[in-house]
Amino acid sequence: MQVLPEAGPGDAAALKLLRSILTKGIEALGVDCLAAAEALGVREQLPVVLADIDIGGLTPFVEAVVGTHPLHAERRRHEVHRAGQQLAALGRPSALVDAVEARFAATVATT
């Protein structure tokens, strides 16, 4: 258990739910990603392309991509779109990936 000395009433519950957004989102996208990697026969190589996240750590990674999100949203939207097409071609369309693409599209529309 972690103690949050500066936390007020309800902060711990709010933070737990915010944590769930990230962890459960990663879990759900991980299910799609690993199943597709298996289908493509590249499951064993996947950790190699994810290693940079392990090396730098999750929190710095999230802060970096959020910080660069507005600047790179259009390019990243296209990448996610192509990833969604890849999943669909494998017979594994993903509403999650569609939602990720929509998040990037919304950013593009407001910048």
Side-chain angles (χ1 to χ4, degrees), residues 26-47:
I26 290 170
E27 175 185 345
L29 288 167
V31 168
D32 283 354
C33 182
L34 292 178
E38 285 284 340
L40 290 166
V42 295
R43 172 65 176 90
E44 296 300 317
Q45 293 83 13
L46 190 59

Side-chain angles (χ1 to χ4, degrees), residues 84-106:
Q85 288 177 320
Q86 183 179 42
L87 291 175
L90 291 170
R92 299 173 176 278
S94 172
L96 294 168
V97 172
D98 293 345
V100 171
E101 182 180 354
R103 169 69 268 168
F104 284 104

Side-chain angles (χ1 to χ4, degrees), residues 8-101:
D11 287 354
L15 287 165
K16 180 178 169 52
L17 292 175
L18 290 170
R19 183 181 188 280
S20 289
I21 292 169
L22 184 64
T23 59
K24 298 336 181 246
I26 290 170
E27 175 185 345
L29 288 167
V31 168
D32 283 354
C33 182
L34 292 178
E38 285 284 340
L40 290 166
V42 295
R43 172 65 176 90
E44 296 300 317
Q45 293 83 13
L46 190 59
V48 174
V49 301
L50 297 174
D52 60 321
I53 298 169
D54 289 338
I55 292 167
L58 181 61
T59 300
F61 172 77
V62 171
E63 290 187 10
V65 295
V66 169
T68 60
H69 178 77
L71 180 63
H72 297 290
E74 180 64 20
R75 176 183 53 79
R76 291 173 180 165
R77 186 191 69 76
H78 288 292
E79 290 175 13
V80 172
H81 180 76
R82 288 193 304 271
Q85 288 177 320
Q86 183 179 42
L87 291 175
L90 291 170
R92 299 173 176 278
S94 172
L96 294 168
V97 172
D98 293 345
V100 171
E101 182 180 354

